[in-house]
Amino acid sequence: MRRQRQEDIASTLKFLNDSANKKLFDWQPPMGCVRCAVVGNGGILNGSGKGKEIDDHDYVFRLNGAVIKGGFEKDVGTKISFYGFTVNTMKNSLIAYYEYGFTETPKGQGLRYIFIPSDLRDYIMLRSSILGVPVPSGTDKGDKPSSYYGPEATPEKFKFLHPNFLVYLRDRFLKSEILKTEFANLYMPSTGGLMLLTALHSCDQVDAYGFITNNFKQFSDHYFERTKKELEFYANHDMLMEMHLWSKLQQKGIMTLYQR
C-alpha cells in the first residue's frame, strides 16, 4: 500500500516539470506592483458592494464554494485568476452549496487551478486531469476531471502547492493549539487561510475579502445564504486563531483586511 502511494505521487509529479509549473504566475505579470485580491466566502461580503473593487485587482483568488452568479456579482465581483481547493473541499462544496448556485467549479481559458495536497486523492485527481482520463482508483474512481476543470487539461492550467510549503505555513503562521490535543491528526489550516498566505508570498499587495473578523457573529456563515446562519466551527480548523492572525497582519500593514 505504501509503495502504491509513493508510485501514485511520483507519477503525478512528473507531469508538473514544465517551466509553467515552477511559478504561480506562469504568464508575464503586470509591470510594477502586482495587486491581488483573495476572496473568501464569509457572510461579511453580503451587501458589501465590493465587486468592482475586487475585480480591479491584477489577480483574484477564489476558493471552494465560490458562488458568483445569482445576484452576488455586485458584492464579490466576477473576475477569477486562481481557484484553490482540496478535492475534498471542492466536492463537498458542490454538494453543500448546490442549492445556493454553486453547481459547477469555475472554468475559463486563463483560469489556473491550485491543488492543495491534503490526501492521496488530490494527486490521483490531478494526474487524471492532466491525462484527460477518468480517475482510475480511490474515492473518486470513475470521475471525469473535465467536468470539474474543462476539456483544456494541459499541465500549465494546474498549480500544486508543495507539501513542504504547507508545513512551513502551518508551523510558521498557523501553528494551532489543536496540534497539542487528541485532534492533532485532523488539523489543517482552512483553504481560505492557505490561499491568503499563498498570495501574501507571491503578490506585492494583497487585499483580503470575506475572511473572519472579530465581529463575525453579526454576519451569516457565507455571503450567499439567504437567511442568516451562524459560523460553524470544526475540530479540523482553528478559525479563531486565523482571525487573530489576519487582524495582526492588517495592523502591521502587511495586507488589507475588509472589515465592517
Side-chain angles (χ1 to χ4, degrees), residues 2-96:
R2 180 182 176 85
R3 181 178 179 181
Q4 181 61 51
R5 179 184 177 89
Q6 292 175 332
E7 289 177 355
D8 283 330
I9 292 174
S11 63
T12 298
L13 295 180
K14 74 177 182 180
F15 289 108
L16 297 176
N17 286 328
D18 191 276
S19 59
N21 303 121
K22 295 179 180 179
K23 298 179 180 180
L24 186 64
F25 304 127
D26 59 82
W27 54 85
Q28 183 62 42
M31 297 296 292
C33 178
V34 177
R35 300 174 60 249
C36 297
V38 185
V39 186
N41 300 322
I44 193 172
L45 281 175
N46 193 317
S48 67
K50 289 293 178 178
K52 184 179 184 305
E53 181 177 306
I54 289 171
D55 286 348
D56 283 342
H57 288 76
D58 297 311
Y59 302 111
V60 177
F61 293 72
R62 299 184 192 270
L63 52 115
N64 294 343
V67 178
I68 293 176
K69 297 179 181 180
F72 302 107
E73 296 88 344
K74 184 177 179 180
D75 292 333
V76 302
T78 60
K79 185 175 182 177
I80 176 167
S81 313
F82 298 98
Y83 174 66
F85 57 94
T86 69
V87 172
N88 184 58
T89 62
M90 177 195 75
K91 298 190 81 169
N92 284 345
S93 295
L94 286 167
I95 295 170

Side-chain angles (χ1 to χ4, degrees), residues 15 52 57 60 84 87 95 111 173 177 192 242-243 245 252:
F15 289 108
K52 184 179 184 305
H57 288 76
V60 177
V87 172
I95 295 170
L111 174 61
F173 297 96
E177 291 297 312
E242 293 190 14
M243 178 185 74
L245 175 61
K252 291 183 177 296

Side-chain angles (χ1 to χ4, degrees), residues 71 92 100 126 145 170 195 211 216 218 226 239 242 246:
N92 284 345
Y100 300 108
L126 176 57
R170 183 198 66 192
M195 283 296 95
F211 282 80
F216 66 87
Q218 297 181 22
R226 302 299 183 181
M239 299 305 296
E242 293 190 14
W246 311 145

Side-chain angles (χ1 to χ4, degrees), residues 116-118 123 161-176 179 187-189 194 197-198 201 241:
I116 300 173
S118 66
Y123 291 87
L161 296 187
H162 197 290
N164 288 347
F165 178 63
L166 297 180
V167 172
Y168 156 72
L169 293 183
R170 183 198 66 192
D171 291 350
R172 177 64 182 84
F173 297 96
L174 298 166
K175 198 165 186 177
S176 171
L179 291 168
Y187 175 66
M188 182 175 181
L194 294 173
L197 287 167
T198 296
H201 282 75
M241 179 202 63

